[in-house]
């Protein structure tokens, strides 16, 4: 419980003290947008790493060298709020995450999210969902990677289970012509979700898979690319469970 309280205090201080930083970076972006973008990325990453340090989490990372030096679509399994902290804190280049629209309710947090190119998915109508996908495609074409969790929500089922992947998530890679990088995570729910509201020191496994180029797949696999990526992630988390 102490770790949870420390994280809440740290997050509140970060958001409040970050108000003038957001204003300054808004002005500095008028001169050099890219430099400002990277400063904001590194500041958010510092905040995430600080929170992970408070949790005492130990992460074994596999295959980070597999990530190509170009904009990609990251797709991963999703069992914990900490999945975002674990993965975003390791991004070398600009990366926007696709979050649910409910995150727009939280002032300051949403401002930081927007500043680092996060998108907010509205599933109320197919038209609204497609607008987010089209924006994500535009981001990738402009050099910004995108991360999405194709299960569509946090999975609170059995540890090695996966919810069905939504094929629509993969249109970003198909239309933008970028590779897909699977992110496979084990044991992240043990940090927080398995014993709410306590935070527990935990060992997690994070593996980046080989990049998948949709245009190099056979037509049948491309039609079922969601299932194809889901199988890769399923096999990887099954394999990595023995490392815990």
């Amino acid at each position: 419980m102490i770790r949870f309280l420390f994280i809440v205090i740290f997050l509140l201080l970060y958001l409040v003290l970050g108000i003038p930083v957001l204003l300054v970076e808004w002005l500095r972006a008028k001169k050099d947008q890219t430099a400002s973008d990277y400063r904001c990325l590194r500041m958010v990453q510092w905040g995430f790493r600080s929170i992970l340090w408070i949790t005492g989490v130990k992460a074994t990372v596999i295959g980070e060298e597999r990530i190509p030096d170009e904009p990609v679509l990251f797709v991963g399994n999703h069992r914990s709020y900490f999945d975002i902290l674990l993965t975003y804190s390791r991004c070398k280049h600009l990366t926007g995450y696709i979050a649910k629209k409910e995150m727009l309710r939280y002032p300051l947090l949403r401002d930081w999210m927007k500043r680092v190119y996060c998108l907010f998915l509205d599933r109320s109508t197919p038209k609204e969902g497609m607008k987010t996908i089209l924006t994500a495609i535009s981001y990738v074409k402009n050099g910004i990677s995108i991360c999405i969790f194709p299960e569509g929500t946090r999975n609170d089922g059995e540890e090695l289970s996966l919810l069905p992947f939504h094929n629509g998530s993969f249109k970003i890679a198909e239309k933008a012509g970028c590779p897909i990088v699977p992110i496979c995570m084990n044991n992240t729910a043990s940090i927080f979700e398995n014993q709410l509201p306590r935070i527990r020191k935990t060992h997690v496994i994070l593996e980046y898979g080989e990049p998948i180029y949709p245009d190099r797949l056979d037509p049948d696999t491309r039609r079922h690319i969601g299932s194809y990526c889901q199988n890769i992630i399923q096999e990887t988390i099954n394999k990595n469970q023995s490392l815990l």
Side-chain angles (χ1 to χ4, degrees), residues 1-243:
M1 192 66 180
I2 295 297
R3 288 191 181 94
F4 176 75
L5 291 174
F6 280 160
I7 288 172
V8 171
I9 292 168
F10 176 87
L11 184 58
L12 289 174
L13 287 172
Y14 184 96
L15 292 175
V16 173
L17 296 176
I19 293 172
V21 177
L22 282 171
L23 292 173
V24 169
E25 287 303 333
W26 177 74
L27 292 171
R28 297 177 78 180
K30 295 181 180 298
K31 287 189 175 182
D32 191 334
Q33 181 72 53
T34 300
S36 179
D37 287 346
Y38 272 95
R39 280 193 296 270
C40 290
L41 169 67
R42 302 308 177 209
M43 283 186 280
V44 171
Q45 289 179 319
W46 173 84
F48 282 178
R49 285 194 292 267
S50 299
I51 292 173
L52 292 171
W53 179 80
I54 294 171
T55 68
V57 67
K58 175 188 175 185
T60 296
V61 181
I62 302 168
E64 201 165 17
E65 73 282 353
R66 297 169 183 159
I67 303 173
D69 192 24
E70 61 180 305
V72 305
L73 175 68
F74 292 106
V75 297
N77 58 314
H78 188 28
R79 296 187 56 81
S80 173
Y81 293 116
F82 283 89
D83 296 340
I84 298 155
L85 280 71
L86 286 161
T87 54
Y88 195 73
S89 61
R90 308 195 69 87
C91 292
K92 293 180 180 179
H93 303 296
L94 299 177
T95 304
Y97 277 51
I98 295 184
K100 56 186 179 182
K101 69 170 184 177
E102 287 76 13
M103 295 302 296
L104 290 168
R105 299 172 183 167
Y106 305 108
L108 298 182
L109 180 60
R110 71 183 175 218
D111 296 309
W112 273 105
M113 292 176 71
K114 290 177 180 179
R115 188 61 187 80
V116 292
Y117 294 100
C118 288
L119 297 170
F120 302 90
L121 183 60
D122 182 352
R123 296 191 184 91
S124 60
T125 65
K127 181 180 179 181
E128 289 302 314
M130 183 53 65
K131 283 169 61 177
T132 303
I133 296 300
L134 291 173
T135 303
I137 293 168
S138 173
Y139 280 4
V140 174
K141 288 182 176 180
N142 283 284
I144 301 164
S145 294
I146 292 292
C147 182
I148 191 168
F149 299 112
E151 291 169 285
T153 187
R154 280 188 306 108
N155 175 12
D156 58 3
E158 294 296 323
E159 170 61 27
L160 295 178
S161 67
L162 293 176
L163 299 174
F165 279 21
H166 297 287
N167 276 315
S169 306
F170 298 89
K171 292 187 183 297
I172 299 168
E174 293 175 348
K175 299 298 184 182
C178 73
I180 300 166
V181 176
I183 305 177
C184 316
M185 290 175 279
N186 289 70
N187 208 36
T188 58
S190 294
I191 301 172
F192 181 53
E193 283 76 10
N194 287 352
Q195 64 284 324
L196 294 169
R198 292 186 297 112
I199 301 287
R200 186 164 69 90
K201 291 178 71 173
T202 305
H203 179 209
V204 302
I205 310 293
L206 171 61
E207 178 165 351
Y208 296 91
E210 294 288 348
I212 300 162
Y213 294 83
D215 58 350
R216 301 178 189 176
L217 299 174
D218 64 78
D220 186 62
T221 302
R222 286 187 68 177
R223 280 195 298 272
H224 303 93
I225 194 166
S227 297
Y228 178 73
C229 292
Q230 180 172 348
N231 288 337
I232 290 172
I233 291 175
Q234 184 73 70
E235 291 173 4
T236 305
I237 62 175
N238 288 348
K239 167 182 69 73
N240 287 344
Q241 190 70 8
S242 62
L243 301 176

